[in-house]
Amino acid sequence: LTKTIGALVEQDLPNLNKSQQKLIRDLLQTRFGMGEVAPHVAQRVLRDVGYATTLANPISALTQIKDLGISAYVNGLFPTIKSIFGKSDVTMKEMGLDSVMAAELTSLKDTSHLLHSVLGWSQFRRIDRFGKDVFLNASLKNGKSLAQTAKGEARLARKYKEAFGEGEFNKLLSDLKSNPPKITENVKLYLWSELSDVQPISLSEMPQAYLNNPDGRIFYALKSFGVKQLDLIRRTI
């Protein structure tokens, strides 16, 4: 893993200085090294019991409705309302996120079948899935609206042009302008990026200390969404 990451950085990022290259190497090694290591089984059991006794009830499930408010804040009120009551153009399942609630609850090596079942019985997963579907469709509608104007294109370009590259970014704009928008790989990546800005849906969205310390992840239990909300505030206010 270390040799592969080192070669990747040297070949693809030769213009970065040594300290920047070291930062990239450290982040990649954290994400794909220690980030993939599961906590001790005793800690997994303890955490599963904690989640099962706090989240797996209808009242906790209802708190997930707050995701609609976050969608209205990020994507706009009208795109969110249209996504709640209108037809879905894209779903979590199509995005490969059907079983994802948060990065810490995604992998069955980190989470028991029983916990997933209990969260399903309490309707927590259903409401969480509904909130994510609304956010994805609202992001799609918002992106389509932005792609129609020069000002909107400039806003998208500030956030995504460098990441996509000019050619792929222009394809993204073309896909968003289509009626209905084409759900291509570029559009899926755009929607995934929008959702991951507000929810910890992948290990890449978790704090570096979380990834580097598998047996310390118990201290992040019930906090990953809160940490992500603080990150959203930090980036936007």
Side-chain angles (χ1 to χ4, degrees):
L1 179 66
T2 301
K3 290 180 180 179
T4 301
I5 289 174
L8 176 69
V9 172
E10 290 177 6
Q11 292 172 13
D12 293 351
L13 305 171
N15 295 326
L16 297 182
N17 61 43
K18 293 297 182 182
S19 63
Q20 291 172 327
Q21 288 187 354
K22 183 179 183 303
L23 175 62
I24 296 297
R25 280 197 298 269
D26 289 346
L27 290 173
L28 290 175
Q29 287 171 355
T30 292
R31 168 60 182 84
F32 296 104
M34 292 302 293
E36 297 289 341
V37 177
H40 188 276
V41 62
Q43 292 207 26
R44 299 203 300 271
V45 171
L46 178 61
R47 192 214 42 215
D48 286 355
V49 171
Y51 278 115
T53 54
T54 53
L55 296 183
N57 64 77
I59 295 176
S60 292
L62 286 174
T63 65
Q64 293 303 101
I65 294 296
K66 72 181 187 305
D67 292 346
L68 303 182
I70 294 172
S71 176
Y73 170 66
V74 174
N75 300 311
L77 180 60
F78 290 115
T80 299
I81 291 175
K82 289 179 182 178
S83 299
I84 293 172
F85 298 104
K87 180 182 176 182
S88 294
D89 295 309
V90 63
T91 65
M92 280 181 62
K93 189 171 184 179
E94 293 170 351
M95 296 284 292
L97 295 170
D98 193 44
S99 62
V100 175
M101 286 175 285
E104 60 188 310
L105 297 174
T106 299
S107 173
L108 288 179
K109 74 177 182 183
D110 261 4
T111 311
S112 69
H113 288 278
L114 179 60
L115 177 58
H116 275 271
S117 298
V118 170
L119 290 174
W121 298 334
S122 69
Q123 302 304 307
F124 186 93
R125 291 186 65 185
R126 176 175 290 184
I127 296 180
D128 179 72
R129 187 182 292 115
F130 173 72
K132 284 182 170 64
D133 280 344
V134 168
F135 188 95
L136 290 170
N137 282 276
S139 292
L140 183 61
K141 289 177 172 59
N142 186 45
K144 177 178 175 60
S145 177
L146 291 173
Q148 306 302 318
T149 66
K151 186 176 180 180
E153 284 189 16
R155 181 176 166 185
L156 288 170
R158 283 195 299 271
K159 188 173 183 180
Y160 288 112
K161 189 172 184 178
E162 186 175 0
F164 275 86
E166 186 167 357
E168 295 302 315
F169 177 74
N170 289 334
K171 290 181 182 178
L172 171 65
L173 291 178
S174 177
D175 294 335
L176 289 173
K177 289 178 181 177
S178 300
N179 194 18
K182 297 178 181 177
I183 310 301
T184 61
E185 291 303 310
N186 281 334
V187 170
K188 287 182 178 180
L189 179 57
Y190 161 72
L191 295 176
W192 184 92
S193 299
E194 289 289 295
L195 181 60
S196 68
D197 275 349
V198 300
Q199 293 191 19
I201 57 173
S202 76
L203 289 175
S204 300
E205 297 299 323
M206 301 301 284
Q208 192 171 10
Y210 174 94
L211 299 176
N212 276 331
N213 300 280
D215 287 334
R217 292 174 192 169
I218 189 70
F219 296 106
Y220 284 90
L222 297 172
K223 298 178 180 66
S224 61
F225 273 86
V227 169
K228 196 61 186 172
Q229 299 312 301
L230 291 174
D231 178 58
L232 177 64
I233 293 170
R234 180 186 64 83
R235 286 185 288 103
T236 58
I237 296 179

